[in-house]
Structures are given as C-alpha cells and as structure tokens.
Amino acid sequence: MVLIAASFMLGMSEFVVVGILPDIARGLNVTEVTVGNLVSVFAFFYAPCTPLGSAITARFPRFATHMTLMAVFLAGNVLCAFAPNYPVLLVARLLIAAVSGTLVAIAMTYANDVTQEKFRTQFIAWVFSGFSIASVVGVPAGTWIADSFGWRWTFHLISLLTAVLLVVMVIVLPRNSHPVKVGFLSQFRLFFDRRIQLGVIDVVFGAAASYVFYTYLTPIMRDEIGVPTQYLSLGLVVFGVACLWSNLYGGKLANRGRGVEPLARVRPIYCVQAVCLCLLAFASWVPGAGALLLVALGMLMYLQNASSQVLYMDVAAQSHPGSLNLAASLNSMSFNIGIAVGSAVGGVVNDMLGLAWLGPVGAVFALLAAGTATMLRPFIERK
C-alpha cells in the first residue's frame, strides 16, 4: 500500500498543474500559455532523467537511495509552494521531474521482496494505478483547494502528505538491497536489445495515441459532446475511474505469458482503440454515444502498462541482469515521451484542423502501436 501511496503522490504532483493552471497564472502574473508550458517541459525533462537516474542509483543501496530521492521530491514541492516567481517555479518542477521517474523505477524493484511471483503483475498494475487514483481524487481535490484557499495551498498539502508518507516508508519498507556490479555505461547495453527497442517504441506510440485527444479532453467534452460547464468536473472523474479500471485490468492482461508475449498480445486492443478514435470525430453528431466513447477510450488508455513493464523486467532479468533498475524505468520514460509527442501533435492538429480531427490523428498512432506489437510476435518463446 505504501508504494501505491507513493505513486499517488507522484501522480498528483505531476498532474495537478493542469487543474490549477489559471490560479498559478493569476498568482504569478503570467499568461496561462506560459504556465501550460510547465506540463510539456516536465514531460521532456522527465523522459531522459528517468533512465539516467535509474542507471546511476542502481549502484547504491536501494533503501537509502529511495529515501533520498523522496526527500528531493518533497523539497521540490515545498519550493513550488513558496516560489516567488515563474522561473523559481520552473526550477522546482524540473527538480520534481528529475527524480519522479527514478522513484517509480525503484518502486518496481520491490516486487520480488513484497509479493509472491504469481502476484507480480498485480503488484505492477497497482503501483501504476496510483497515478490513475491521483487523476480521480488528487487532482480534483487539489483544484478545489486552489479555488478555496489559493494554489500554493495545493502544494502545501502535497508536501504535508509526502512528509507523512516518508515517515511511513522508513518504517515499513525492506532494507535489503541489490546494487548492480556492472559499470554505468554497461547498463545501457539494454537499449541494443531488439525486444527492448520495440517495447519502448510500442509504448511511445500507444501513449501518443491517447494523449493526442486526452490533452484536450475538457474542450472535447464541452464543445464536441456538449457537457455543461458545471458538470465538466464530474465528467473528468468518470473518465478517471475508467482509467483506473484500465490500469487494474492491464495487470490481468500481463499475466498472459512472460517476456514479450503479453505486450505482443495487446495488438487487438490497439486496433479497437484506433476504431474508437476514428469514431470520436463524429461525437458531436450523437452526444450520448460520444460520451460513452470517451469512457471506452479511458478504459483502453492504460491496458499496455503492466504488459510493457513485464517485457522490460523479464528481458533484463534473462539477458541483462545488471540493468534491472534501468529496465524498471523504461515504462515511465517511454510513456512520457509519448505524452510529449501526443500533446505536441494534438496542439498542432487542434490549431490547424480543430478538435474533431484529434481522434483520427490519434488513431494513426494506435495503428503504429499495433504494427510494433506485431513485430514483437517472432520473439515469443515457443513452449
């Protein structure tokens, strides 16, 4: 539970900026576009720092490293709360981004210590579910606090909860450690494995497919489906619940074999996602059906997560045992690259073609993900 709580705090800190964006803009006297850049900059910084941080920290005792990085995460949120201007807030967000992915990767390495082998995929799914719970509960709560008491109190809350969590982690997490004995650069041989390359590309395409439209979920609900403004928050909660189900059911899908097999078998899901994204272009014709379509897309959004994590961890354990920490970081890295790509493409499409075209363009990424999953099938070990 404590590791799920940790991923919840990481998710709340990462996503809450979207909910309190106008409040930050008013408070720091900058434009909303300027504050919006914090989201894309966070993702772009998060992606390269995750594998680098994981490779570096793999050489040090796990527990001490974990607690140190949590302390840095806490310091970053405290700095957000007291930031006197936008440049300081930007530095604070980059500090949080620098350690967040590595913290997720370290959490994954506890799987063998806190659960049995048969429950491994459920453990992975539940750790990832902390981010979905943050979307359902944490972000709306943070937005309400910002509206009621000011945006700085949202980060005060995150800091307080993180401090309490840090104490609990010190009490309950195992102290045993598995430092790697290979050199820093040697760990990156993992990236020359064709299975890892295809796994990373697949997740990038899969995440981009969702974030082309998800970045503009609120405008889609408001302008395409016609959800009244007063019910937009409820709509976001319903979508968040669908995403939570997606993460948890993804754990069951990851039980379908070892190594590359679970992710290769996600191919039909990408195809269904592509169809749903294409249909999203016609959501304004039948608003009720469009609303159900968004729920379906939320349920498809994270089904790949646990399967891709299984691929990275199993391939590393089998062929690159010294790169296990680095392998644990790859899902966070590749998913954030997908977020950055999808959001950027979505912005261009929205500006040039309009909201209705976000779905069909996202479908292109979904089909690319399906094609990449097909390329993984020859690597399935025959029994």
Side-chain angles (χ1 to χ4, degrees), residues 233-316:
S233 295
L234 178 60
L236 291 173
V237 170
V238 172
F239 187 87
V241 171
C243 291
L244 175 59
W245 179 91
S246 181
N247 259 319
L248 297 180
Y249 191 73
K252 293 185 177 181
L253 295 179
N255 271 324
R256 302 187 300 179
R258 302 297 299 263
V260 305
E261 187 172 3
L263 189 58
R265 294 186 182 279
V266 174
R267 179 179 59 172
I269 293 172
Y270 290 131
C271 295
V272 172
Q273 185 182 32
V275 172
C276 290
L277 285 166
C278 286
L279 292 175
L280 191 61
F282 307 101
S284 61
W285 294 14
V286 185
L292 293 175
L293 193 61
L294 283 180
V295 174
L297 285 169
M299 295 173 71
L300 294 167
M301 195 166 175
Y302 296 112
L303 291 178
Q304 68 184 7
N305 270 358
S307 295
S308 57
Q309 191 71 33
V310 166
L311 183 154
Y312 302 138
M313 300 293 283
D314 282 355
V315 170

Side-chain angles (χ1 to χ4, degrees), residues 146-157:
D147 291 340
S148 302
F149 306 104
W151 66 271
R152 295 182 186 277
W153 281 98
T154 299
F155 287 107
H156 284 312
L157 174 64

Side-chain angles (χ1 to χ4, degrees), residues 11 34 42 51 118 122 126 145 148 184 186 204 232 241 252 260 272 275 285 288-289 352-353 372:
T34 300
F42 187 100
K118 62 180 179 180
Q122 285 91 335
W126 271 108
I145 290 171
S148 302
F184 173 75
S186 298
V204 169
L232 286 174
V241 171
K252 293 185 177 181
V260 305
V272 172
V275 172
W285 294 14
M352 297 182 64
L353 301 174
T372 308

Side-chain angles (χ1 to χ4, degrees), residues 104-286:
V104 176
I106 293 176
M108 291 298 170
T109 66
Y110 285 96
N112 293 331
D113 299 309
V114 300
T115 188
Q116 300 175 26
E117 172 66 21
K118 62 180 179 180
F119 297 122
R120 183 183 64 145
T121 55
Q122 285 91 335
F123 168 83
I124 292 171
W126 271 108
V127 171
F128 279 130
S129 74
F131 290 90
S132 296
I133 298 171
S135 297
V136 177
V137 179
V139 174
T143 303
W144 178 81
I145 290 171
D147 291 340
S148 302
F149 306 104
W151 66 271
R152 295 182 186 277
W153 281 98
T154 299
F155 287 107
H156 284 312
L157 174 64
I158 294 173
S159 300
L160 175 62
L161 293 177
T162 302
V164 173
L165 176 62
L166 194 54
V167 173
V168 177
M169 292 173 74
V170 169
I171 296 172
V172 305
L173 286 182
R175 299 293 203 275
N176 59 323
S177 188
H178 312 283
V180 303
K181 299 179 180 179
V182 299
F184 173 75
L185 293 178
S186 298
Q187 296 180 63
F188 287 88
R189 291 175 183 166
L190 182 71
F191 285 106
F192 292 97
D193 192 304
R194 184 66 171 165
R195 296 165 294 178
I196 295 293
Q197 293 170 355
L198 290 172
V200 168
I201 294 170
D202 189 76
V203 173
V204 169
F205 285 148
S210 293
Y211 274 80
V212 166
F213 84 89
Y214 178 66
T215 305
Y216 298 93
L217 180 60
T218 299
I220 289 173
M221 289 194 299
R222 182 189 63 211
D223 300 336
E224 294 293 301
I225 297 177
V227 177
T229 303
Q230 64 267 32
Y231 295 116
L232 286 174
S233 295
L234 178 60
L236 291 173
V237 170
V238 172
F239 187 87
V241 171
C243 291
L244 175 59
W245 179 91
S246 181
N247 259 319
L248 297 180
Y249 191 73
K252 293 185 177 181
L253 295 179
N255 271 324
R256 302 187 300 179
R258 302 297 299 263
V260 305
E261 187 172 3
L263 189 58
R265 294 186 182 279
V266 174
R267 179 179 59 172
I269 293 172
Y270 290 131
C271 295
V272 172
Q273 185 182 32
V275 172
C276 290
L277 285 166
C278 286
L279 292 175
L280 191 61
F282 307 101
S284 61
W285 294 14
V286 185

